[in-house]
């Protein structure tokens, strides 16, 4: 069920959980809880040594999960994430070299932007599905809404400071396909293995797309 195009990522769920894992042993139960709650897409950020191992385990052991690699900042990371079994790639920003490396993997990707100029540069390369980051710090809902006029062909996944309370406001915008959020995997829930809580948070988030 892996997405075939970057635009397909928007159809998976209204919210993409942004996950930071310090122990790959947590990857499978966490992903199972998210999928059971109705959120198949799981973005594992490449911020820890456990990230690639977590991606490998989710890809191999959690049917129904579409695991992606987030915080991709170099061509090498894009290549290693693809080799680990990632189904999509997400970057916080994007350079020409990084864009080419992500494209070379053949995986759907959401390259990151925070300005109209950055979005236009990627649009020139044919990218119409982008991550807007850091969403709240870069102007929030008002900024994303303002981009719909001059760039109607671009859709965004705002991430960075988005909460359960603000997510519906973003999702109501015509140029927002989904949002990314960390609130679905609170640190205390991960530390305590409270997968039931994660599943309930996922269920609530999945309902935002109704």
């Amino acid at each position: 069920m892996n997405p075939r195009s970057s635009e397909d990522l928007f159809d998976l769920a209204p919210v993409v959980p942004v996950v930071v894992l310090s122990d790959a042993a947590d990857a499978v139960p966490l992903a199972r809880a998210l999928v059971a709650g109705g959120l198949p897409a799981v973005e594992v950020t490449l911020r820890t040594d456990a990230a690639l191992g977590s991606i490998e385990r989710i890809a191999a052991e959690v049917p129904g999960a579409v695991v992606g690699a987030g915080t991709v900042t170099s061509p090498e990371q894009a290549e290693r994430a693809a080799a680990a079994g990632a189904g999509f790639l997400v970057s916080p920003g994007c350079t020409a070299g990084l864009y080419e490396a992500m494209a070379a993997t053949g995986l759907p990707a959401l390259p990151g932007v925070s300005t109209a100029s950055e979005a236009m540069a990627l649009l020139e390369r044919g990218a119409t599905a982008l991550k807007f980051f850091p969403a709240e710090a870069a102007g929030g809902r008002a900024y994303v809404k303002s981009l719909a006029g001059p760039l109607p062909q671009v859709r965004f996944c705002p991430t960075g400071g988005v909460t359960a309370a603000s997510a519906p406001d973003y999702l109501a915008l015509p140029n927002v396909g989904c949002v990314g959020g960390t609130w679905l995997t609170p640190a205390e829930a991960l530390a305590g293995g409270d997968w039931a809580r994660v599943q309930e948070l996922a269920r609530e988030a999945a309902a935002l797309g109704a």
Side-chain angles (χ1 to χ4, degrees):
M1 83 182 267
N2 277 358
R4 300 179 62 184
S5 72
S6 299
E7 287 75 13
D8 288 343
L9 294 171
F10 295 141
D11 298 327
L12 293 175
V15 180
V16 176
V18 179
V19 180
V20 181
L21 287 167
S22 57
D23 187 345
D26 292 332
V28 169
L30 173 65
R32 285 175 176 161
L34 292 169
V35 172
L39 299 181
V42 182
E43 178 188 331
V44 177
T45 65
L46 301 183
R47 301 180 189 178
T48 68
D49 292 338
L52 290 173
S54 296
I55 290 170
E56 288 179 350
R57 294 197 60 177
I58 294 171
E61 301 177 43
V62 187
V66 181
V67 60
T71 321
V72 177
T73 59
S74 71
E76 180 186 16
Q77 284 184 324
E79 295 164 4
R80 294 180 67 189
F88 63 94
L89 305 174
V90 183
S91 66
C94 199
T95 64
L98 179 58
Y99 181 84
E100 291 169 3
M102 290 195 296
T105 67
L107 296 175
L110 294 176
V113 301
S114 61
T115 69
S117 293
E118 291 168 356
M120 290 168 63
L122 288 171
L123 185 59
E124 286 183 353
R125 290 176 168 267
T128 57
L130 307 175
K131 173 179 178 175
F132 182 71
F133 177 84
E136 285 294 292
R141 180 184 183 278
Y143 193 96
V144 178
K145 181 180 181 180
S146 72
L147 294 175
L151 303 174
Q153 64 274 63
V154 180
R155 295 174 75 198
F156 298 94
C157 175
T159 306
V162 179
T163 65
S166 64
D169 291 334
Y170 280 102
L171 291 168
L173 298 177
N175 61 339
V176 168
C178 65
V179 298
T182 59
W183 80 86
L184 300 141
T185 55
E188 63 272 18
L190 268 63
D194 190 354
W195 311 124
R197 183 182 177 195
V198 171
Q199 182 174 334
E200 178 60 19
L201 289 170
R203 185 193 64 77
E204 294 171 357
L208 296 177

